Amino acid sequence: MKKVFSAFVCLFLLNSCDDGDIVVETFDFGSVAVQKCSNNDILLKTSGNQLMLLNISPTFFKNEETPLNTPRAYTLLYPTDIIYRSYSGSVTSSSICATIPPSSPSVVDEYNVRPGGTVEVTTSMIPTVDATSLSTRISYSHLIKFKNVQFTNNTSTISFPEYLFGTYTSANNTLSFSFPGAVPQNCSDNKIYLKNGGEFLLVDLPAGSYPSVAGTQTISLGDTAKVISRMYSTSVAGSNPDYSAVVACAGSTPTAPVVLSEEWIATQGTVTIVTTEIFDASNTTVIGYKHNLTFQNIVYQKGTQSFTHPQYTFGDYTTN
């Protein structure tokens, strides 16, 4: 009797697991990189005849570091937010991102995500300094995870408590710290800057930092003495010849017509200023003062990240 009952239970379990509701499977893309279409905001992975694409707002991939253990979270709303497809042949990003999709390969199977799961995005920011030029590259990488997601092709469902989609690199911004031929300009007596295209380097020091007397002084950076590196999305120019000064000197950073891509503020390190007299043609009368600025062990900070320039020559600033 026990054998008959056991056989009945096994038959029941087999039937209940074969009703097409839940199928334990996985989507295997190995270690392939996450790519982005150049003509839209779709992120995707391809491997052989497989494709998975993620289509959510680019605001979840901002070039801003996320706080520790606090990823940006998007609740899935539409079946087209995440799509998995298998094709009749190998598929590439160029065929997926094309304005007019090619006729081949063709879609063999398609799974759409069910609303309700979550996409978590953890953004990290990594600065890398070239030891020779001090050019500094800022990379932004976004670790993308799916939490409690279900995919369906209307026949079966594939469930994932957690699925690692991969890492997407959205930007590699480079602060060149190169200002060839640039002459320091002033916002005020104590705030001066260099400009090259959309890149600015500002020195904001206390009153009296540029004295009318020859000598040398060293100023420690802190709350009242800062060096600021900024980079905008495009070269800062325009019909208004003073617009560069507006961007450099504004208490709050303008957001139009250019967009601020990077701002790193140094409140650690020292600025050495060597002041010398400038004489007239007869070399008898002082007509101004030249202040040569160099930085030592400047630590630039943004969020939790920082980078250090051991020494940097800002240049000569002239006052009357």
Side-chain angles (χ1 to χ4, degrees):
M1 183 68 182
K2 289 182 179 179
K3 290 182 180 179
V4 174
F5 179 76
S6 297
F8 174 77
V9 170
C10 289
L11 181 62
F12 173 79
L13 290 174
L14 286 171
N15 286 337
S16 65
C17 292
D18 194 34
D19 62 1
D21 287 339
I22 300 293
V23 178
V24 179
E25 296 181 27
T26 190
F27 302 141
D28 185 11
F29 287 84
S31 59
V32 298
V34 176
Q35 304 173 67
K36 180 183 179 297
C37 289
S38 60
N39 55 343
N40 55 49
D41 294 316
I42 291 176
L43 302 181
L44 57 93
K45 297 178 75 170
T46 63
S47 178
N49 68 335
Q50 297 183 97
L51 160 76
M52 182 179 284
L53 64 82
L54 173 63
N55 184 25
I56 65 175
S57 171
T59 58
F60 288 91
F61 305 100
K62 292 186 293 186
N63 293 334
E64 295 178 8
E65 189 177 39
T66 49
L68 182 65
N69 299 321
T70 311
R72 301 184 190 97
Y74 169 76
T75 301
L76 296 163
L77 299 174
Y78 309 104
T80 54
D81 284 342
I82 309 174
I83 299 173
Y84 170 87
R85 287 175 181 167
S86 61
Y87 288 79
S88 59
S90 294
V91 63
T92 64
S93 60
S94 58
S95 58
I96 298 304
C97 299
T99 304
I100 302 175
S103 57
S104 180
S106 58
V107 177
V108 173
D109 198 5
E110 177 172 302
Y111 283 80
N112 291 85
V113 74
R114 284 180 169 172
T118 304
V119 177
E120 291 187 350
V121 180
T122 300
T123 302
S124 60
M125 174 176 56
I126 303 173
T128 305
V129 178
D130 183 288
T132 302
S133 67
L134 298 185
S135 173
T136 304
R137 185 180 69 180
I138 315 297
S139 296
Y140 294 90
S141 296
H142 312 274
L143 182 69
I144 306 168
K145 287 183 180 180
F146 304 157
K147 292 287 191 72
N148 301 314
V149 294
Q150 291 189 336
F151 293 85
T152 181
N153 64 355
N154 297 321
T155 301
S156 61
T157 298
I158 302 175
S159 299
F160 296 101
E162 182 172 298
Y163 182 90
L164 179 61
F165 182 66
T167 300
Y168 162 55
T169 300
S170 61
N172 285 304
N173 295 329
T174 299
L175 299 167
S176 70
F177 287 93
S178 177
F179 302 89
V183 176
Q185 304 296 314
N186 70 315
C187 302
S188 63
D189 290 342
N190 302 299
K191 187 174 183 180
I192 63 177
Y193 66 92
L194 294 172
K195 172 187 176 296
N196 181 14
E199 187 174 348
F200 291 78
L201 186 60
L202 296 92
V203 182
D204 190 358
L205 300 179
S209 296
Y210 306 106
S212 297
V213 60
T216 299
Q217 60 176 320
T218 299
I219 299 172
S220 296
L221 298 183
D223 292 338
T224 60
K226 300 179 177 67
V227 175
I228 303 170
S229 174
R230 288 180 184 160
M231 188 180 78
Y232 289 85
S233 56
T234 58
S235 178
V236 177
S239 57
N240 182 353
D242 296 326
Y243 187 69
S244 292
V246 171
V247 170
C249 304
S252 58
T253 305
T255 57
V258 293
V259 177
L260 181 66
S261 298
E262 297 291 342
E263 182 176 63
W264 294 75
I265 300 175
T267 57
Q268 298 179 56
T270 59
V271 178
T272 297
I273 304 175
V274 178
T275 301
T276 56
E277 297 171 330
I278 302 173
F279 290 89
D280 63 5
S282 65
N283 204 35
T284 56
T285 303
V286 175
I287 59 173
Y289 296 88
K290 182 176 72 174
H291 313 277
N292 179 262
L293 283 74
T294 57
F295 305 160
Q296 295 82 33
N297 298 315
I298 293 284
V299 181
Y300 292 92
Q301 187 89 25
K302 181 180 178 182
T304 64
Q305 298 298 317
S306 65
F307 61 87
T308 302
H309 286 177
Q311 185 159 335
Y312 180 85
T313 300
F314 181 84
D316 296 328
Y317 173 52
T318 301
T319 58
N320 296 325

